Amino acid sequence: MTNPADAGRNVVLAVPHPAPLNPRGITITCAMCDSARDWLLIHVQPDLVFVRCRCTHEWREHDLGATYVTVARGADRDEREWESFEQMYRGLGFDGLLAGAVWNLS
């Protein structure tokens, strides 16, 4: 649902996605650091999807749609507003500080 107070503002949904991305059956890797997981999916209304790596490399991923981000978001619907993209990246750990970090997800 669109909030009338958001008129004129860019609405962005950022969803951390720790697993690999395989939208075409081929695992996506970062062109800068060769990472294959631990992404930030960024959905810019209405249908632009960007992928950001912990190394700060970011690109538009044409093979991921808004539906993919919504599904990745799942039931965890905690929302937070950020003053800027830089604050969002820092707050979610995608500002480069954790570049090269590997999390044990098992």
Side-chain angles (χ1 to χ4, degrees):
M1 180 184 329
T2 304
N3 181 345
D6 290 334
R9 285 179 35 193
N10 287 332
V11 177
V12 176
L13 176 62
V15 178
H17 185 73
L21 293 170
N22 302 311
R24 291 173 279 136
I26 300 169
T27 301
I28 292 174
T29 58
C30 176
M32 300 238 350
C33 73
D34 207 32
S35 179
R37 63 182 182 143
D38 201 16
W39 309 109
L40 183 63
L41 304 180
I42 304 165
H43 175 210
V44 180
Q45 301 292 345
D47 61 357
L48 299 174
V49 176
F50 295 83
V51 176
R52 185 175 178 99
C53 181
R54 294 243 184 230
C55 77
T56 72
H57 182 60
E58 184 176 310
W59 66 95
R60 180 172 178 198
E61 185 54 62
H62 296 278
D63 292 324
L64 296 178
T67 303
Y68 194 95
V69 178
T70 302
V71 169
R73 182 179 185 198
D76 181 20
R77 298 200 180 266
D78 291 339
E79 294 184 1
R80 179 168 180 184
E81 290 188 22
W82 304 92
E83 293 293 322
S84 67
F85 276 96
E86 290 76 22
Q87 284 186 357
M88 176 183 72
Y89 295 146
R90 188 172 39 252
L92 295 173
F94 285 85
D95 61 343
L97 182 65
L98 298 174
V102 178
W103 310 108
N104 184 358
L105 302 174
S106 52

